[in-house]
Amino acid sequence: MSGKELEMGEMGEFDFIRSIRDGCIFSRQNTVMGIGDDCAVIGPYGDKVLLITTDLLVEDIHFILESIPPEHLGRKAAAVNLSDIAAMGGAPLHLFLSLAVPSATKVETLHAVCRGIKELCRRYRVNILGGDTSSSKDGLMISIAVLGEAPMKEVLYRTGARPGDLVYVTGKLGDSAAGLLLIRHEASAPDSIASPLVRAHTLPVPHLKAGRLIAGSRLASAMIDLSDGLVSDLGHVCEQDGLGARLTESALPLSGPLREFSVINGLDPYVLALSGGEDYRLLITVPFRNREPFEKIFEGGKPCHVHLIGEIVETGGMRMVLADGTEKEVDLKGFDHFARAEQK
Amino acid sequence: MSGKELEMGEMGEFDFIRSIRDGCIFSRQNTVMGIGDDCAVIGPYGDKVLLITTDLLVEDIHFILESIPPEHLGRKAAAVNLSDIAAMGGAPLHLFLSLAVPSATKVETLHAVCRGIKELCRRYRVNILGGDTSSSKDGLMISIAVLGEAPMKEVLYRTGARPGDLVYVTGKLGDSAAGLLLIRHEASAPDSIASPLVRAHTLPVPHLKAGRLIAGSRLASAMIDLSDGLVSDLGHVCEQDGLGARLTESALPLSGPLREFSVINGLDPYVLALSGGEDYRLLITVPFRNREPFEKIFEGGKPCHVHLIGEIVETGGMRMVLADGTEKEVDLKGFDHFARAEQK
């Protein structure tokens, strides 16, 4: 602090969380994992642990009410929380919904948000057990907490990757970032291309079945969901042990619509795949010796495809192997979020 | 809805919650109690259940940042959640904190809020295990979820009161409402009187020890915490079975400062005690046959005093026995929130 009257806008979210993390544990009883992973882990209760995650969606920060149908907003708000449960290898059980609502908001809008949440809850058999409702001076705010469970011995954390481990993702990357550019009218594309990209942004699917299968197999060393973007989230996996990663550019899974969108708009699809957020795929590290049985889980593309995109290395930083065999440093700061890249 | 474009401001919180309550349970597994009490109850896990509550505090709705020290705000935000755990007879275990923060907010303000939360957590040995931080366009928003536990057979619900049960509260009533009037400059008093009243509003104490003792004794039939005001909260206790209550005005426990404050400001202290919110005392109903052993728990005023204020009756509505022995209907609508009453 050094006496300076620092404002929150000058401090990043991660720095703020770091600044309040100390002195948060007053009783070790029942506490397996606190702040720092996709979920907190408490228990054990018998041979299981409980997982708890909470996410905040704020109007004009996380969504623009005019550019997302309220039912989709509800589904997305629930989905991003369920994705955190998936990332630990858990099954979701119960959801808690808190809403701060400007008094001029139409009741029907709120009912549509709730229908969207219920729709996703019905699909995954998640109960809505409580919450809170308040008025708000300005802007809708959705705060959701989800409680899930997992067998204690199967929970996967962000930490645990070792040098030599292979890096997998459970689906295509970058579609959501492209969808956001389209929603913001910062890019354009014909409907047949725009529609699946916008859908990837507004209706992300939590990879719960994949997460459970991976955790149950006990073949992986770490898992995280891709919410902040591949480079940032893979960075979390490497962080604790000062590890690095080497990715293969041609192995990054890109969808057909994203490739076409990128050509039309003169954007580098790999930038979107690496730094675009909100893909809500899972990123998994797998010891090399487990490669075959791990890939066998997803044989036939069910419940989804997994893509081998690189490996964990001993020295920090992230490097990319290009199509011509050369390697380059992935400079995080070089990835100006959604900046228009030179066409290749 | 009837096609009308109803706005949230025209619909009360309770009506909105009622309108979304249906179809929230998709799996009975592990679900003891959903929406409708101070906490959701899940489990059992062994012979225990888990309690979960969540509360939202919105700037300029629940608090004015300029009129409460941020450390007190943090303590209060945590305390109101712990009070919900107390109301079920539970012990709090873990807290989750989500903040939506305007970027111009001073980091030190947020740190002070967090210090206040940690202070209360330290006192009750509650871990802070996670949360979320986001920016907000306008206004600070604090969303807290608390997880607690209780022996399954001891949990107390809002429902369960029977006609003839005695009604107790675990402390004086109305101080918080008077404190709010002082904070809003809608009333005044010398410091010696104002200070404890403002403190009752800004630093409520969750009655966790009392809640645990009452639940452990298994002598009570129902329990709720006083957050919305005695008449409203006692109404929740009576609601489900169409019961009523008869209160004795002279038995309503009023503090010395509240009595003096009321004389100075020409207010009826009983109006504040009956309709003022945020006392965070516990209201308990006790079968008549358990009266003696129940009162014995609190002998010597530890951990607090309990006050017998009336009884549950078969017919709906709330009646008040006045000092002269006559009875009058307590007309909820007659209690205009914080309206200036005629001096007696």
Side-chain angles (χ1 to χ4, degrees):
Chain A
M1 297 299 305
S2 71
K4 192 172 164 283
E5 289 276 292
L6 198 67
E7 292 181 357
M8 283 299 289
E10 304 167 74
M11 197 180 203
E13 180 189 348
F14 296 127
D15 282 339
F16 176 72
I17 293 171
R18 256 188 292 274
S19 76
I20 60 164
R21 266 178 76 161
D22 283 344
C24 284
I25 304 289
F26 301 104
S27 162
R28 281 269 152 217
Q29 194 211 348
N30 270 340
T31 308
V32 183
M33 165 61 77
I35 298 170
D37 215 304
D38 290 297
C39 296
V41 183
I42 64 165
Y45 297 98
D47 57 356
K48 290 192 171 174
V49 289
L50 292 180
L51 311 169
I52 301 136
T53 180
T54 165
D55 265 300
L56 211 55
L57 273 82
V58 181
E59 187 174 342
D60 292 339
I61 305 289
H62 298 96
F63 63 90
I64 298 160
L65 206 45
E66 288 71 38
S67 43
I68 184 167
E71 244 168 299
H72 291 191
L73 175 61
R75 277 182 58 170
K76 181 168 181 172
V80 303
N81 278 280
L82 296 191
S83 181
D84 283 324
I85 300 284
M88 310 292 287
L93 296 173
H94 308 297
L95 181 147
F96 301 84
L97 167 66
S98 292
L99 295 165
V101 189
S103 53
T105 305
K106 298 273 180 285
V107 172
E108 174 48 25
T109 304
L110 261 283
H111 279 165
V113 170
C114 291
R115 274 198 304 276
I117 294 171
K118 285 183 188 177
E119 199 180 310
L120 209 77
C121 285
R122 186 182 308 114
R123 179 177 307 177
Y124 297 105
R125 295 180 64 74
V126 176
N127 299 315
I128 303 169
L129 290 194
D132 196 7
T133 312
S134 160
S135 52
S136 122
K137 223 178 38 172
D138 189 22
L140 175 63
M141 215 276 321
I142 306 173
S143 176
I144 288 184
V146 172
L147 199 141
E149 65 173 15
M152 182 169 56
K153 292 188 174 159
E154 296 179 3
V155 177
L156 277 166
Y157 297 91
R158 293 177 173 192
T159 54
R162 305 304 324 146
D165 285 2
L166 304 174
V167 179
Y168 289 87
V169 290
T170 62
K172 312 281 193 201
L173 304 173
D175 285 4
S176 176
L180 182 60
L181 290 175
L182 289 162
I183 289 168
R184 285 186 180 161
H185 304 293
E186 293 172 16
S188 60
D191 263 9
S192 61
I193 292 167
S195 165
L197 299 175
V198 168
R199 206 178 160 79
H201 185 76
T202 54
L203 290 173
V205 175
H207 281 195
L208 283 160
K209 215 177 238 179
R212 240 353 343 271
L213 280 172
I214 293 163
S217 77
R218 302 182 66 178
L219 294 167
S221 52
M223 188 153 67
I224 191 171
D225 76 328
L226 294 173
S227 53
D228 297 333
L230 176 61
V231 170
S232 172
D233 292 318
L234 181 52
H236 293 314
V237 169
C238 293
E239 201 172 65
Q240 180 151 322
D241 300 303
L243 300 173
R246 185 189 291 115
L247 302 177
T248 303
E249 190 176 67
S250 62
L252 294 178
L254 307 180
S255 73
L258 179 65
R259 288 178 193 278
E260 294 184 63
F261 166 89
S262 301
V263 170
I264 293 168
N265 292 282
L267 292 166
D268 182 347
Y270 292 109
V271 172
L272 295 172
L274 284 166
S275 70
E278 302 207 81
D279 279 319
Y280 298 108
R281 313 308 192 183
L282 300 175
L283 181 144
I284 313 109
T285 63
V286 178
F288 188 82
R289 65 177 181 283
N290 294 340
R291 175 179 182 161
E292 272 186 53
F294 178 79
E295 293 187 356
K296 220 177 159 68
I297 299 174
F298 296 90
E299 233 172 30
K302 281 198 173 168
C304 60
H305 288 279
V306 289
H307 307 271
L308 174 59
I309 61 167
E311 60 173 338
I312 300 293
V313 297
E314 203 155 350
T315 43
M318 219 162 285
R319 299 187 67 78
M320 178 75 82
V321 182
L322 304 178
D324 61 8
T326 61
E327 268 187 46
K328 70 165 183 185
E329 191 86 29
V330 177
D331 180 7
L332 274 174
K333 293 191 192 78
F335 287 104
D336 185 6
H337 237 57
F338 309 130
R340 192 163 286 259
E342 281 174 83
Q343 220 165 339
K344 282 196 175 178
Chain B
M1 297 301 302
S2 71
K4 194 173 162 283
E5 288 276 292
L6 199 66
E7 293 182 357
M8 283 299 288
E10 305 167 73
M11 197 182 202
E13 180 189 347
F14 296 127
D15 281 340
F16 176 71
I17 293 171
R18 256 189 292 274
S19 77
I20 61 166
R21 266 178 78 161
D22 284 343
C24 283
I25 304 290
F26 301 104
S27 162
R28 282 268 152 216
Q29 195 212 348
N30 270 340
T31 309
V32 183
M33 165 60 77
I35 298 170
D37 215 303
D38 290 297
C39 297
V41 183
I42 64 165
Y45 297 97
D47 57 357
K48 290 190 171 174
V49 289
L50 292 180
L51 310 169
I52 302 135
T53 180
T54 166
D55 265 300
L56 210 56
L57 273 82
V58 181
E59 187 174 343
D60 292 338
I61 306 289
H62 297 96
F63 61 90
I64 298 160
L65 205 47
E66 288 70 38
S67 43
I68 184 167
E71 243 169 298
H72 291 191
L73 175 61
R75 277 183 57 170
K76 181 168 181 172
V80 303
N81 278 280
L82 297 191
S83 181
D84 282 324
I85 300 285
M88 309 292 287
L93 296 173
H94 309 297
L95 181 146
F96 301 83
L97 167 66
S98 293
L99 295 166
V101 189
S103 53
T105 305
K106 299 272 180 286
V107 172
E108 174 48 27
T109 304
L110 261 283
H111 279 165
V113 170
C114 291
R115 274 198 304 277
I117 294 171
K118 284 183 186 176
E119 200 181 310
L120 209 77
C121 285
R122 185 182 309 113
R123 179 177 307 178
Y124 297 105
R125 295 180 63 74
V126 176
N127 298 315
I128 303 169
L129 290 194
D132 196 7
T133 313
S134 160
S135 52
S136 120
K137 224 179 38 173
D138 188 24
L140 174 63
M141 215 275 323
I142 306 173
S143 175
I144 288 184
V146 172
L147 199 140
E149 64 173 15
M152 183 170 54
K153 292 188 174 159
E154 296 179 2
V155 176
L156 277 166
Y157 297 90
R158 294 178 171 190
T159 53
R162 305 304 323 147
D165 285 3
L166 304 173
V167 179
Y168 289 87
V169 290
T170 62
K172 313 280 192 201
L173 304 173
D175 285 6
S176 176
L180 181 60
L181 289 174
L182 289 162
I183 289 167
R184 286 187 180 161
H185 305 292
E186 293 171 17
S188 61
D191 263 9
S192 61
I193 293 167
S195 166
L197 298 175
V198 168
R199 205 177 161 79
H201 185 75
T202 55
L203 289 173
V205 175
H207 282 195
L208 283 161
K209 213 175 237 179
R212 248 337 357 265
L213 279 172
I214 293 163
S217 76
R218 302 181 67 179
L219 294 168
S221 51
M223 187 152 68
I224 190 171
D225 76 327
L226 293 172
S227 53
D228 296 332
L230 175 61
V231 170
S232 172
D233 292 319
L234 180 52
H236 293 314
V237 168
C238 293
E239 201 171 65
Q240 181 153 320
D241 300 304
L243 300 173
R246 185 189 292 114
L247 302 176
T248 303
E249 190 176 68
S250 62
L252 293 177
L254 306 180
S255 73
L258 180 65
R259 286 178 194 278
E260 294 184 63
F261 166 89
S262 300
V263 170
I264 293 167
N265 291 282
L267 291 166
D268 181 347
Y270 293 109
V271 171
L272 296 171
L274 285 167
S275 69
E278 303 207 82
D279 278 319
Y280 298 108
R281 312 308 193 183
L282 300 175
L283 181 145
I284 312 109
T285 63
V286 178
F288 189 82
R289 66 178 181 282
N290 294 339
R291 176 179 181 161
E292 272 187 52
F294 178 80
E295 292 187 358
K296 219 176 160 70
I297 300 174
F298 296 91
E299 233 171 31
K302 279 195 176 170
C304 60
H305 288 280
V306 288
H307 308 270
L308 174 59
I309 61 168
E311 60 173 337
I312 300 293
V313 297
E314 203 155 351
T315 44
M318 219 162 283
R319 299 187 67 79
M320 178 76 82
V321 182
L322 304 178
D324 60 9
T326 60
E327 267 187 46
K328 69 164 183 186
E329 190 86 28
V330 177
D331 180 7
L332 274 173
K333 293 192 191 81
F335 286 104
D336 185 7
H337 236 59
F338 309 131
R340 193 162 284 259
E342 280 175 85
Q343 220 167 339
K344 282 193 174 180

